[in-house]
Amino acid sequence: MMSGQQIAKLAKRRNCPRCSLEKTEGNALCRRCRFKLPPHMRLPLEGIVNREEWVVASALRAAANYFDIRYKSILFFRGGRVR
Ligand SMILES: [Zn+2]
C-alpha cells in the first residue's frame, strides 16, 4: 500500500520514475509512458492526488507488471529515490 504522502511526493516529482523524462505534476508517469498503457490503466495514473490511495497503488502495480519491470523498480515507482 501507498500512503497519501507517498502519492503526493510522486505527484510532485518533475521527472518520470520509469524513464526519467519530464512529467506533468499530478501524474504518476510521463505522457510517453502513460500512452504505452491501455486507457483503463492510464487513467488512474493521472491526477493521482485526487484519487484513492488503493486505486493509485493498484494502478502502479498494474503498470509495473505491464512494463515487465522488476520488484526493485516497483518500489521505485512508489516514489522512492535512486541512490
Ligand atoms: Zn516515462
Side-chain angles (χ1 to χ4, degrees):
M1 273 305 284
M2 284 177 86
S3 66
Q5 206 178 18
Q6 281 176 295
I7 292 171
K9 217 167 108 188
L10 178 61
K12 273 199 194 127
R13 285 176 57 132
R14 291 288 178 181
N15 61 329
C16 174
R18 181 172 179 261
C19 66
S20 300
L21 286 178
E22 219 178 289
K23 77 166 179 68
T24 311
E25 197 171 325
N27 296 337
L29 298 173
C30 72
R31 189 183 166 85
R32 201 166 143 258
C33 288
R34 277 185 288 116
F35 274 77
K36 282 180 186 162
L37 296 166
H40 74 277
M41 288 172 76
R42 185 194 308 154
L43 281 170
L45 298 173
E46 295 169 356
I48 55 172
V49 280
N50 302 317
R51 296 186 188 275
E52 287 190 57
E53 288 154 23
W54 70 268
V55 174
V56 178
S58 64
L60 281 171
R61 197 177 310 122
N65 287 339
Y66 190 84
F67 287 128
D68 192 30
I69 61 170
R70 283 172 296 210
Y71 181 66
K72 214 175 177 181
S73 305
I74 295 170
L75 288 179
F76 183 37
F77 260 68
R78 293 180 181 177
R81 246 171 270 157
V82 192
R83 300 195 188 270

